[in-house]
Amino acid sequence: MRDLQHVAIIMDGNGRWAKERGLNRLRGHYAGVESLIEIVRTSSDLGIKYLTVYAFSTENWKRPLEEISGLFKLLISFVARELENLVQNNVKVGILGERSVLPEDVNRSIDKALESTKNCTGLSFNIALNYGGRAEILRAAKKFAAQCAQGEADAENFSENDFSKLMYTADIPDPDLIIRTGGERRLSNFLTWQSAYSELYVTDIYWPDFSPEEYEKALDDYRQRDRRFGGIK
Ligand code: IPE
Ligand code: IPE
Ligand code: MG
């Protein structure tokens, strides 16, 4: 899609969706997976090049263990169920976040998804998992410091572009549009470095109710925006 390469989504509101129905929060996450599958397919059909979704933040460890392990199980079952479809649709999976502390079965499942889709050339579908924007910036700063100590980087001539290459999103352009469902007007530590000039779209719709029609509304809204990047018309 012209002028829209990268859409990022904060998939929020699963818990409230479930609560309104008198269901366990995990049921909201299950329903959220169905939305995700539809939105990946729609993004692919629309020719969007990059889709990044916030699945688990570095702060989400504060939740009850039962919910955390339920979320990880859900990711494993998502891969088991959808991987074939993703490959068929030429979708390349990527992961943004600190993987080293994730459970072993989660990492196995991720490795399988990355390996199976590594040659896909269609939609690049990135899952932010154990992702935090500040942690990502700090990690990049530490890499930079190490490179300087080794004489591999030169602080004087180090650019924003060079620093971007140290992020999880090294090969991904900054998000043009960040969508947040569930109504909260904040970024919750999502793509802190990359969101500097992203357009923001918030909808009160809970993630499990976020349909391709709602997605089209967000994209239509984006098309009306005047992106000045600090300049003037
Ligand atoms: C977002 O839904 C999904 C994750 C954080 C994994 P929530 O679980 O935050 O849903 P609400 O915000 O409590 O409704
Ligand atoms: C943001 O949602 C994280 C994800 C969608 C994975 P949260 O529900 O964790 O954010 P807060 O707590 O409302 O800021
Ligand atoms: Mg939430």
Side-chain angles (χ1 to χ4, degrees), residues 48-52 90-94 122-126 172:
I48 289 168
K49 191 65 194 117
Y50 302 90
L51 173 70
T52 300
N90 202 19
V91 174
K92 183 175 183 159
V93 177
L123 174 72
S124 163
F125 168 45
N126 303 294
I172 305 173

Side-chain angles (χ1 to χ4, degrees), residues 103-232:
E104 215 177 281
D105 52 354
V106 173
N107 272 321
R108 263 200 306 276
S109 159
I110 291 171
D111 282 335
K112 190 170 173 212
L114 298 180
E115 176 62 26
S116 308
T117 64
K118 70 175 182 205
N119 295 321
C120 292
T121 55
L123 174 72
S124 163
F125 168 45
N126 303 294
I127 304 171
L129 190 67
N130 192 21
Y131 174 88
R134 287 190 170 181
E136 179 184 38
I137 293 169
L138 185 61
R139 174 178 169 270
K142 286 179 180 174
K143 280 199 203 180
F144 175 59
Q147 288 176 359
C148 286
Q150 296 291 317
E152 291 162 7
D154 166 18
E156 278 306 311
N157 296 304
F158 206 71
S159 67
E160 289 183 6
N161 203 32
D162 294 331
F163 200 59
S164 294
K165 294 270 179 281
L166 299 176
M167 301 287 162
Y168 293 118
T169 50
D171 308 318
I172 305 173
D174 289 343
D176 298 296
L177 171 65
I178 297 180
I179 297 172
R180 182 166 189 149
T181 62
E184 310 293 356
R185 285 157 171 78
R186 54 177 171 258
L187 287 172
S188 302
N189 207 10
F190 188 44
L191 301 176
T192 307
W193 169 265
Q194 299 86 343
S195 62
Y197 264 103
S198 303
E199 296 294 326
L200 308 178
Y201 179 90
V202 175
T203 170
D204 289 336
I205 305 253
Y206 296 140
W207 176 248
D209 290 328
F210 192 75
S211 59
E213 291 70 39
E214 291 297 332
Y215 190 30
E216 293 278 4
K217 273 193 217 168
L219 299 177
D220 283 343
D221 194 276
Y222 171 83
R223 288 185 197 101
Q224 312 300 319
R225 308 285 179 95
D226 180 14
R227 302 187 75 189
R228 289 186 292 277
F229 297 99
I232 47 175

